[in-house]
């Protein structure tokens, strides 16, 4: 497996005012393989968002290094050495972002919000970008919203728009900071299904969340506490989870390929079990 | 306390904006108070001067003999008339008067020069201390106009020459003449001792009379004039009243005050626009906080008060500073007034009015702050918390979606869309650009019009290669004949016209006799553009300059009566042309000229193709030395040179001020816009738009607005502006000015200068855009 993103001894201190400083990240080392689906959990204020922003180059760190391979070994870059302009270009073309508050542009329509990054990067002809934008909206089930202004859509729908926007340039990695944080559990699950699909299509996903239901659906869960990564769990892909289910179960699953209900039922069972495990794990760390 | 914290943060965040607003308010207060101060001083000085001089209420100028007893008898029977006075005035030809230190005469001057004795009971000529000037024998009082023009000082000499005789006087006072002080009054009075007066009268026998009345009730001048006319009293000449003296005196200085106050009005408008914009921007920013305050039950009034307090403080401080500096400014502006009209008595009003004016500026700022802040009321707690409400208003307008755009760069399209989506917002900037463009383009167009060779058509002469002028001199007639012969025999001359301008008497309906300069000779050879009608072709026709036609109230086809060799002849007006030379009052006719009344000779010459105009000009200039021989461009610069220079300065100042204000306001505008759009910018930065990309969006928006301002401003200047300049210049003699446009400067360099300035400002302001992690509200 290729390492897509790697951080080495990240330290970050916020200066609140002239006298008060607060260190938020302490020697954070992290590695994300290409194709992985990773989540970071931790109590509020533990530094999850800070870490995420450092990893994607939105914010500079005090010391340490972030390396981003962007799919091929020769395209490896070290973020802290890049000038502002190239960081922006990197974010635009190789990374996608989904935020809790979706942060769409109010002066653009849904469709325009999706294609904007595509136009800004200018890597493809606009016709192609438009086609891809429409396909993404279609796939996320909100094609009929294309011409609407963003005030005319629900929170769950807007988060899908956010995901479409993040995917328009076919990024190597998708970052999410509590993408489901503002959604009810139903909408939240739909978004997680979507992100799982995106991951299955080959895009690496890194999420920050404090929802165990969300974390339970990822391959690997990192636990952050007081600015340090303190532990890690590897539930693995939900699809691979056969623990306690046996051959029979797999056979049954194969037999009912295409029967979504059964699949969902199975997944929920798996997720439910993992949730319980994660809860226990978190309790062990006093979170 | 949350409100104070917000206020402090707001003040520190908007320090730049607030200091700009303060600067505009202070400047505006400075100018308005300074202008008011000037008007107050002007008024006081006029009052003092008029009182000291005992200005007459009605003055009849009369050219001819007067039956003194008859006038005095009539005045005695009039209940309106308190006093009457007859002042004989010696009329001296301008070329007989030698004032300037370099010893040239006043020849060619537009002024009618008169010499008087000091009056006995009223209409006094005053010295520098506003005391009645009583010259000793050999002394003379020189009008302020000449003192200012030539720097004449007490002790200098003034000479009047008639043929071989001359009378020389020593300047003993620079006199203020309440009637004839201003430069726009084309009569000036010198004052001498009665003995000298008698001696001068022998040299210059032509005498006019000023018949002056003082009334019991100055407001009833009209009745007195009517009675005077009805009684058939001497009336060959204009009759004027005190009100006119006041207007004329006030006009020249009043214009300065008017310009200053107008300018302050403009600054004030800019200040208010900026203020409004700054308030809206900060409301926009504090929107959520205000909502929260409302949600927790704080009354809207006290929230508003906090904001108002800020603007009141700034407005008070700024207008106080402006007022403080207005005192020296007033003094500076009033220096001219004091010299011309004398100083005003120090009074209490002097200090109060400018202060009131500055206070009015302050009040306007506070009131407009209140009005804008009324928007607080429309903020609902729920709306603010949910992020709906007034914020949405920007986004309502639908424009062509981004994904339909094909060719233009995405940032350009985003900028264009922004202008289309928030037109009201960008209108502020558009207005400023529009005004700035008009402000610059008008003088620029007029300058290029004046420097264009075609401008001769406003000077009452046809277009020719060379122009030769022979001014009044002993040998003038002789030289004219010589030149005429030389031109007739010159094979390199294609055609020429000999033109003679002489003085004629024009007889008005009411029997008044007026002198009029009429050009005779080959008047049709070089074509001239006529406003109406055409060049006179028959001996009973006359063409009048625009100002003459207007004064005489005649149109093409009407008749005027001219005394030719002593006999009145009715001439039909065949055409009206524009002329800004010779005071705008000229005429052309096919009349015989009498050698005695010739004022000047002129030739218009065209050379045959292939002959150098410059060389021919040099040749004739050398051969006929005192004659003024110039090519047409040279003729124009000699005639209009100083006006062109002044206009050039005006244009340069307009350019600097216009560009400066545009840059300042653009900076302010963008600064506020970037703050207002903070979350939009943050979102774009996060998804990977570079700072340059956002900069290009704003640049595209601002350039779009600039383009609109340039197009509309230029259109305005070319249409209504042209008319405006024509109206102004109709006072000078040209009523229908057509702009000759210097396309390179007006349509290429000026827009480029604007664009460069705006791009520079955009770059500077947008370099402050923060990093992507900037907080999104
Ligand atoms: N711009 C900032 N300046 C100063 N301190 C900050 C800033 N941003 C975050 N912090 C502090 O850094 C710490 C970590 O913040 P961060 O947002 O990374 O936490 P988080 O784990 O994402 O929390 P949450 O789960 O609540 O989102 C917090 O204590 C926070 O107060
Ligand atoms: Mg966070």
């Amino acid at each position: 497996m290729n390492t897509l993103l790697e951080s080495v001894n990240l330290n970050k201190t916020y200066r609140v005012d002239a006298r008060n400083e607060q260190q938020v990240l302490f020697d954070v080392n992290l590695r994300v393989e290409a194709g992985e689906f990773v989540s970071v959990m931790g109590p509020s204020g533990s530094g999850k968002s800070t870490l995420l922003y450092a990893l994607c180059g939105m914010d500079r760190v005090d010391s340490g290094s972030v390396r981003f391979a962007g799919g091929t070994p020769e395209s490896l870059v070290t973020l802290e050495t890049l000038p502002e302009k190239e960081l922006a270009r990197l974010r635009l073309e190789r990374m996608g972002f989904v935020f809790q508050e979706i942060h769409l542009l109010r002066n653009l329509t849904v469709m325009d919000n999706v294609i904007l990054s595509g136009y800004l990067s200018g890597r493809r002809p606009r016709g192609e970008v438009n086609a891809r934008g429409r396909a993404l909206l279609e796939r996320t089930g909100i094609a009929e919203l294309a011409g609407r202004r963003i005030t005319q859509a629900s929170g769950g729908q807007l988060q899908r728009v956010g995901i479409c926007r993040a995917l328009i340039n076919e990024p190597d990695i998708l970052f999410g900071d509590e993408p489901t944080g503002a959604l009810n559990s139903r909408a939240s699950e739909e978004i997680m299904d979507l992100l799982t699909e995106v991951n299955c299509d080959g895009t690496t996903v890194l999420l920050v969340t404090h929802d165990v239901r969300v974390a339970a659906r990822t391959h690997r869960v990192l636990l952050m506490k007081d600015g340090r990564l303190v532990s890690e769990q590897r539930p693995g892909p939900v699809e691979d989870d056969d623990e306690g289910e046996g051959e029979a179960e797999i056979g049954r699953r194969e037999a009912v390929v295409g029967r979504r209900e059964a699949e969902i039922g199975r997944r929920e069972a798996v997720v439910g079990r993992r949730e319980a495990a994660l809860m226990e794990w978190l309790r062990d760390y006093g979170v | 306390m949350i409100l104070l914290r917000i206020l402090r943060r707001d003040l520190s965040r908007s320090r730049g904006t607030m200091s700009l607003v303060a600067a505009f308010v202070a400047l505006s207060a400075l100018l308005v108070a300074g202008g008011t101060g000037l008007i107050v001083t002007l008024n006081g000085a006029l009052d003092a001067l008029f009182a000291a001089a005992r200005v007459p209420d009605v003055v009849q100028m009369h050219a001819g003999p007067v039956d003194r007893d008859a006038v005095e008898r009539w005045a005695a029977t009039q209940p309106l008339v308190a006093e009457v006075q007859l002042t004989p005035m010696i009329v001296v030809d301008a070329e007989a008067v030698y004032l300037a230190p370099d010893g040239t005469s006043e020849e060619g001057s537009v002024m009618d020069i008169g010499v008087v004795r000091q009056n006995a009971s009223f209409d006094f000529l005053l010295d520098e201390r506003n005391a009645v000037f009583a010259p000793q024998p050999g002394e003379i009082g020189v009008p302020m106009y000449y003192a200012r023009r030539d720097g004449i000082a007490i002790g200098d000499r003034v000479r009047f020459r008639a043929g071989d005789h001359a009378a020389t006087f020593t300047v003993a006072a620079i006199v203020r003449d309440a009637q004839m002080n201003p430069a726009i009054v084309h009569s000036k009075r010198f004052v001498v001792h009665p003995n000298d007066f008698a001696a001068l009268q022998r040299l210059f026998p032509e005498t006019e009379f000023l018949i002056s009345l003082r009334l019991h009730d100055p407001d009833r001048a009209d009745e007195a004039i009517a009675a005077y006319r009805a009684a058939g009293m001497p009336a060959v000449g204009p009759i004027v009243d005190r009100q006119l003296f006041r207007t004329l005196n006030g006009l020249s200085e009043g214009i300065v005050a008017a310009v200053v106050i107008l300018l302050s009005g403009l600054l004030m408008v800019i200040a208010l626009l900026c203020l409004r914009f700054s308030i809206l921007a900060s409301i926009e920013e504090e929107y959520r906080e205000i909502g929260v305050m409302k949600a927790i039950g704080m009354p809207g009034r006290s929230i508003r008060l906090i904001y108002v307090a800020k603007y009141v403080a700034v407005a008070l401080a700024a207008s106080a500073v402006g007022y403080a500096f207005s005192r020296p400014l007033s003094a500076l502006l009033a220096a001219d007034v004091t010299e011309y009209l004398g100083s005003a008595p120090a009074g209490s009003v002097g200090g109060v009015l400018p202060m009131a004016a500055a206070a009015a500026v302050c009040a306007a700022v506070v009131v407009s702050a209140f009005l804008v802040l009324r928007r607080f009321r429309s903020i609902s707690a729920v709306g603010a918390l949910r992020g709906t409400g007034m914020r949405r208003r920007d986004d309502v307008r639908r424009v062509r979606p981004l994904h339909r755009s094909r060719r233009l760069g995405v940032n350009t399209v985003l900028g264009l869309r922004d202008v289309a989506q928030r037109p009201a917002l960008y209108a502020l900037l558009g207005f400023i650009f529009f005004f700035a463009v008009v402000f610059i383009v008008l003088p620029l167009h007029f300058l290029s019009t004046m420097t264009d060779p075609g401008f001769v058509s406003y000077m009452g002469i046809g277009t020719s290669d060379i122009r030769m002028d022979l001014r009044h001199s002993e040998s003038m007639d002789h030289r004219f004949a010589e030149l005429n012969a030389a031109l007739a025999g010159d094979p390199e001359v294609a055609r020429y016209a000999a033109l003679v301008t002489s003085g004629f008497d024009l007889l008005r309906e009411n029997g008044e006799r007026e002198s009029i300069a009429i050009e005779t000779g080959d008047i049709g050879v070089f074509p001239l553009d006529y406003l109406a009608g055409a060049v006179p072709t028959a001996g009973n026709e006359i063409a009048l300059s625009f100002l003459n036609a207007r004064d005489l109230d005649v149109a093409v086809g009407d008749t005027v009566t001219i005394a030719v060799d002593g006999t009145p002849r009715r001439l039909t007006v065949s055409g009206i042309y524009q002329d800004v030379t010779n005071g705008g009052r000229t005429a052309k006719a096919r009349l015989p000229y009498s050698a005695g009344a010739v004022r000047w000779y002129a030739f218009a010459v065209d050379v045959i193709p292939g002959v150098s105009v410059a060389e021919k000009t040099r040749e004739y200039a050398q051969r006929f030395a005192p004659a003024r021989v110039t090519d047409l461009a040279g003729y124009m610069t000699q005639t209009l040179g100083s006006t062109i220079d002044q206009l050039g300065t005006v244009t340069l100042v307009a350019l600097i001020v216009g560009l400066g204000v545009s840059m300042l306001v653009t900076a302010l505008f963008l600064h506020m816009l970037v703050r207002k759009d903070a979350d939009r910018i943050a979102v774009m930065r996060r998804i990977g738009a570079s700072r340059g990309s956002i900069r290009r969006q704003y640049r595209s928006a601002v350039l779009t607005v600039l383009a609109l301002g340039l197009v509309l401003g230029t259109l305005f200047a070319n249409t209504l502006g042209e008319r405006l300049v024509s109206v102004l210049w109709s006072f000078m003699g040209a009523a229908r000015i057509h702009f000759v446009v210097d396309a390179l400067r007006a349509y290429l360099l000026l827009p480029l200068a604007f664009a460069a300035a705006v791009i520079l400002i955009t770059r500077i302001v947008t370099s402050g855009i923060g990093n992507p992690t900037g907080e999104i509200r």
Side-chain angles (χ1 to χ4, degrees):
Chain A
M1 276 238 252
N2 295 321
T3 300
L4 179 68
L5 182 69
E6 186 181 25
S7 81
V8 182
N9 295 333
L10 288 188
N11 283 287
K12 168 87 184 171
T13 301
Y14 282 120
R15 187 176 296 273
V16 183
D17 54 49
R19 263 161 296 162
N20 289 313
E21 290 187 345
Q22 182 191 358
Q23 184 156 5
V24 185
L25 297 182
F26 296 86
D27 291 328
V28 176
N29 290 291
L30 168 123
R31 179 182 295 200
V32 179
E33 308 296 337
E36 253 194 313
F37 193 176
V38 184
S39 60
V40 180
M41 294 194 75
S44 186
S46 55
K48 306 182 293 293
S49 297
T50 306
L51 175 63
L52 195 74
Y53 292 140
L55 291 175
C56 67
M58 278 192 207
D59 206 1
R60 303 269 182 189
V61 289
D62 303 330
S63 68
S65 173
V66 178
R67 283 170 216 153
F68 179 67
T72 53
E74 55 273 20
S75 61
L76 180 113
V77 287
T78 320
L79 295 195
E80 60 276 6
T81 62
L82 289 183
E84 193 68 42
K85 201 169 167 178
E86 274 164 53
L87 272 180
R89 181 122 214 117
L90 194 71
R91 280 203 302 281
L92 185 61
E93 293 176 354
R94 315 268 287 278
M95 301 171 172
F97 302 89
V98 192
F99 311 96
Q100 173 178 349
E101 289 174 41
I102 303 116
H103 298 322
L104 295 169
L105 293 171
R106 272 186 286 261
N107 57 334
L108 297 179
T109 60
V110 165
M111 173 71 174
D112 284 353
N113 262 290
V114 172
I115 54 138
L116 176 63
S117 313
Y119 277 32
L120 280 172
S121 88
R123 273 198 315 189
R124 293 163 189 281
R126 294 191 187 173
E128 245 174 70
V129 175
N130 288 351
R132 180 165 166 82
R134 241 170 253 120
L136 281 169
L137 288 174
E138 196 82 43
R139 190 173 130 198
T140 50
I142 46 170
E144 75 280 4
L145 301 183
R148 291 203 198 168
R149 55 186 64 255
I150 58 150
T151 47
Q152 298 164 331
S154 74
Q157 289 170 328
L158 288 182
Q159 196 53 283
R160 289 161 196 248
V161 178
I163 291 171
C164 292
R165 174 178 70 182
L167 295 176
I168 191 78
N169 282 336
E170 300 174 72
D172 299 318
I173 183 166
L174 186 67
F175 292 97
D177 192 354
E178 316 253 16
T180 59
L183 303 179
N184 63 29
S185 59
R186 172 73 190 277
S188 162
E189 235 146 77
E190 285 169 2
I191 292 298
M192 281 313 291
D193 286 344
L194 198 55
L195 290 177
T196 308
E197 270 180 53
V198 167
N199 178 245
C200 288
D201 291 346
T203 308
T204 311
V205 180
L206 177 62
L207 291 186
V208 163
T209 182
H210 43 218
D211 184 347
V212 277
R213 286 187 67 80
V214 169
R217 288 161 169 265
T218 61
H219 302 175
R220 188 152 66 100
V221 187
L222 303 171
L223 180 60
M224 186 148 204
K225 231 186 133 182
D226 298 329
R228 290 181 174 84
L229 284 178
V230 290
S231 178
E232 166 174 336
Q233 281 270 4
R234 279 184 183 274
V238 173
E239 287 72 17
D240 299 347
D241 196 319
D242 50 2
E243 185 190 322
E245 289 190 40
E247 299 296 314
E249 187 64 22
I250 291 167
R252 197 178 77 89
R253 189 186 122 206
E254 278 169 358
V256 294
V257 161
R259 282 175 58 190
R260 211 164 153 68
E261 263 173 55
E263 168 66 12
I264 290 172
R266 192 193 70 84
R267 279 192 187 190
E268 279 186 350
V270 174
V271 169
R273 226 171 327 105
R274 288 182 177 185
E275 264 177 56
L278 281 173
M279 295 291 267
E280 210 161 296
W281 173 61
L282 289 175
R283 243 194 320 276
D284 290 346
Y285 283 90
V287 177
Chain B
M1 162 115 180
I2 185 168
L3 280 177
L4 279 177
R5 214 184 56 229
I6 287 177
L7 184 59
R8 198 175 322 129
R9 189 176 61 191
D10 188 54
L11 262 177
S12 74
R13 214 174 353 183
S14 60
R15 202 180 302 133
T17 315
M18 288 315 289
S19 36
L20 256 176
V21 170
F24 278 120
V25 171
L27 261 179
S28 176
L30 167 75
L31 290 180
V32 86
T36 314
L38 179 60
I39 288 176
V40 169
T41 313
L42 180 63
N43 233 14
L46 266 179
D47 284 341
L49 176 69
F50 275 29
R54 299 201 71 219
V55 173
D57 295 311
V58 175
V59 175
Q60 168 73 59
M61 297 181 185
H62 177 73
V66 173
D67 180 351
R68 183 177 289 264
D69 288 345
V71 175
E72 278 170 358
R73 248 181 284 121
W74 168 81
T77 63
Q78 293 299 310
L80 281 174
V81 178
E83 290 170 83
V84 66
Q85 182 173 272
L86 277 81
T87 312
M89 182 166 81
I90 300 170
V91 180
V92 184
D93 295 338
E95 54 262 38
V97 181
Y98 292 79
L99 292 172
D102 62 2
T104 55
S105 80
E106 286 301 300
E107 175 190 345
S109 160
V110 290
M111 295 295 171
D112 295 330
I113 295 170
V115 180
V116 296
R117 300 174 290 209
Q118 182 62 274
N119 283 316
S121 50
F122 63 96
D123 188 18
F124 299 122
L125 297 161
L126 306 174
D127 65 14
E128 306 86 274
R129 292 179 306 282
N130 274 7
V132 178
F133 172 57
Q136 297 303 305
E139 289 183 349
I140 193 167
V142 174
M144 181 63 73
Y145 167 80
Y146 292 110
R148 283 293 293 277
R149 195 195 63 181
D150 297 341
I152 293 174
I154 289 171
D156 287 355
R157 311 246 152 202
V158 170
R159 214 150 43 97
F160 297 100
R161 259 180 67 180
D164 302 333
H165 301 279
T168 305
F169 296 94
T170 306
V171 178
I174 307 300
V175 297
R176 296 199 181 104
D177 180 342
Q179 279 191 41
M180 302 179 182
N181 239 348
I184 43 174
V185 176
H186 286 185
S187 299
K188 293 285 167 275
R189 291 194 283 186
F190 289 75
V191 55
V192 295
H193 189 266
N195 295 350
D196 293 329
F197 184 82
L200 264 182
Q201 214 162 13
R202 285 191 287 279
L203 287 181
F204 302 94
E206 194 182 343
T207 306
E208 284 185 3
F209 282 88
L210 299 177
I211 300 156
S212 316
L213 306 177
R214 272 183 73 91
L215 307 178
H216 291 296
D217 180 357
D219 293 336
R220 296 171 73 181
D222 286 346
E223 291 170 48
I225 290 173
Y228 184 89
R229 286 219 168 113
M233 291 291 112
V236 182
I239 189 162
V240 286
D241 61 12
R242 182 197 184 102
Q243 193 50 50
L244 185 68
F245 301 148
R246 212 181 162 88
T247 312
L248 290 178
N249 269 307
L251 205 60
S252 25
E253 303 301 331
I255 281 177
V256 175
V259 167
V260 166
I261 288 176
L262 268 180
L263 201 64
S264 94
L266 185 73
L267 282 173
M268 175 99 166
V269 168
I270 296 179
L272 290 186
L273 283 175
C274 293
L275 182 74
R276 186 189 140 80
F277 197 72
S278 130
I279 296 177
L280 289 183
S282 69
I283 291 181
E284 193 87 28
E285 275 182 12
E286 312 301 342
Y287 189 67
R288 225 174 251 192
E289 282 92 333
I290 296 165
V292 172
M293 284 188 257
K294 282 202 166 182
I296 62 174
M298 193 171 285
R301 257 176 59 101
S302 57
I303 305 172
R304 198 159 76 221
L305 270 180
I306 281 288
Y307 281 84
V308 167
K310 174 172 98 170
Y311 294 104
V312 170
V314 169
L316 268 178
S319 28
V321 167
Y323 172 71
F325 282 98
S326 79
R327 316 236 24 171
L329 177 73
S330 280
L332 198 75
L333 291 174
D336 202 53
V337 173
T338 320
E339 190 167 356
Y340 249 84
L341 304 176
S343 48
S348 55
V349 227
V352 172
L353 274 183
M355 192 183 279
V361 169
C362 179
V365 172
V366 171
V367 166
S368 83
F370 257 109
L371 289 181
V372 180
L373 285 169
R374 269 200 318 210
R375 299 221 172 171
F376 271 9
R377 246 181 255 157
S378 63
I379 299 176
S380 82
V382 180
L385 292 180
R386 285 183 38 194
T388 59
M390 65 184 220
R391 223 170 234 247
R392 290 282 178 275
R393 291 216 318 216
D394 288 350
D395 315 323
V396 173
R397 202 171 286 259
R398 268 190 180 271
V399 294
R400 212 172 116 92
L402 180 63
H403 65 267
R404 294 273 164 72
S405 69
R406 288 282 170 271
R407 270 176 299 276
L408 291 172
V410 55
N411 294 310
T412 311
V413 175
L414 285 174
L416 284 170
R417 281 174 50 100
D418 199 28
V419 176
Q421 282 180 321
R422 303 190 284 185
L425 181 71
Y426 283 99
L428 165 78
L429 193 60
F431 271 123
I432 302 290
F433 286 147
F434 173 83
F435 284 125
V437 168
V438 172
F439 194 63
I440 298 172
V441 165
L442 264 190
L444 188 64
H445 275 1
F446 194 51
L447 185 66
S448 54
T449 305
M450 272 194 88
T451 46
D452 186 84
F455 197 75
V456 286
S457 65
Y458 303 108
M459 295 168 68
I461 61 174
T463 313
S464 62
D465 291 341
I466 304 175
R467 173 110 188 153
M468 307 182 192
D469 288 273
L470 280 173
R471 283 279 157 178
H472 203 285
S473 72
E474 246 97 288
S475 56
M476 178 171 73
D477 301 339
H478 173 62
R479 286 171 191 285
F480 174 68
E482 258 179 23
L483 251 175
N484 210 349
L487 285 169
D490 190 336
E492 292 185 340
V493 168
R495 55 179 181 164
Y496 76 96
L499 302 161
V500 185
T501 302
S502 22
F504 287 86
D505 276 352
L506 179 117
L507 305 173
R508 302 192 86 154
E509 312 271 88
N510 57 10
E512 281 176 29
R513 198 174 263 267
E514 235 174 61
S515 176
I516 182 172
I518 303 182
E519 186 177 70
T520 58
D522 312 328
I523 50 177
V525 175
F526 291 93
L528 171 68
D529 278 342
Y530 278 75
L531 270 181
V535 65
T537 49
N540 63 347
E541 287 184 335
I542 187 168
L544 293 174
S545 72
F546 167 74
L547 277 189
N548 261 335
R550 199 177 63 178
D551 288 356
L552 296 170
D553 194 20
V554 292
V556 171
D558 293 348
T559 59
V560 292
T561 309
I562 305 282
V564 181
D565 296 332
T567 49
R569 263 169 74 173
R570 292 186 83 74
L571 302 178
T572 308
V573 177
S574 69
I576 294 169
Y577 57 92
Q578 307 185 70
D579 191 351
V580 296
T581 61
N582 296 303
R585 287 175 173 78
T586 57
K588 296 173 194 288
R590 299 185 179 280
L591 293 175
Y593 61 92
S594 51
V598 170
R599 299 214 180 145
W600 66 83
Y601 292 101
F603 290 94
V605 180
D606 266 0
V607 295
I608 57 171
V611 173
S612 152
V613 173
E615 245 155 56
K616 188 75 12 197
T617 306
R618 214 172 305 124
E619 177 195 330
Y620 273 79
Q622 269 164 15
R623 270 176 63 191
F624 301 93
R628 193 176 69 177
V629 183
T630 53
D631 57 3
L632 212 57
Y635 177 75
M636 280 173 43
T637 40
Q638 281 190 23
T639 320
L640 302 171
S642 62
T643 317
I644 290 176
D645 285 349
Q646 278 173 7
L647 194 59
T649 314
V650 167
T651 310
L652 190 68
V653 169
L655 182 75
I656 293 169
V657 171
L659 270 180
V661 166
S662 299
M663 286 170 80
L664 204 62
V665 174
T666 307
L668 178 71
F669 179 84
L670 276 180
H671 182 72
M672 288 191 275
L673 200 56
V674 165
R675 273 171 50 196
K676 183 181 160 84
D677 291 348
D679 49 359
R680 183 193 293 191
I681 293 171
V683 171
M684 287 206 257
R685 294 287 277 138
R686 286 188 175 199
I687 62 171
S690 63
R691 188 174 289 144
S693 166
I694 288 157
R695 172 177 296 155
R696 279 191 287 280
Q697 292 173 20
Y698 283 112
R699 193 166 68 199
S700 139
V702 172
L703 285 179
T704 306
V705 176
L706 173 66
L708 281 174
L710 275 166
V711 168
L712 292 180
T714 308
L715 279 180
F716 180 87
N718 288 2
T719 53
L720 284 175
E722 194 177 60
R723 288 229 207 115
L724 200 74
V725 169
S726 296
V727 168
L728 286 180
W729 266 64
S730 66
F731 295 107
M732 304 274 291
R736 202 190 293 153
I737 301 247
H738 285 293
F739 281 152
V740 175
V741 174
D742 180 350
L744 176 72
R745 284 202 217 167
Y747 299 157
L748 185 70
L749 294 183
L750 182 68
L752 282 182
F754 263 105
V758 160
I759 288 172
L760 177 76
I761 291 292
T762 311
R763 186 169 181 93
I764 294 172
V765 175
T766 52
S767 58
I769 289 174
N771 283 337
T773 39
E775 168 198 5
I776 301 183
R777 283 172 294 121

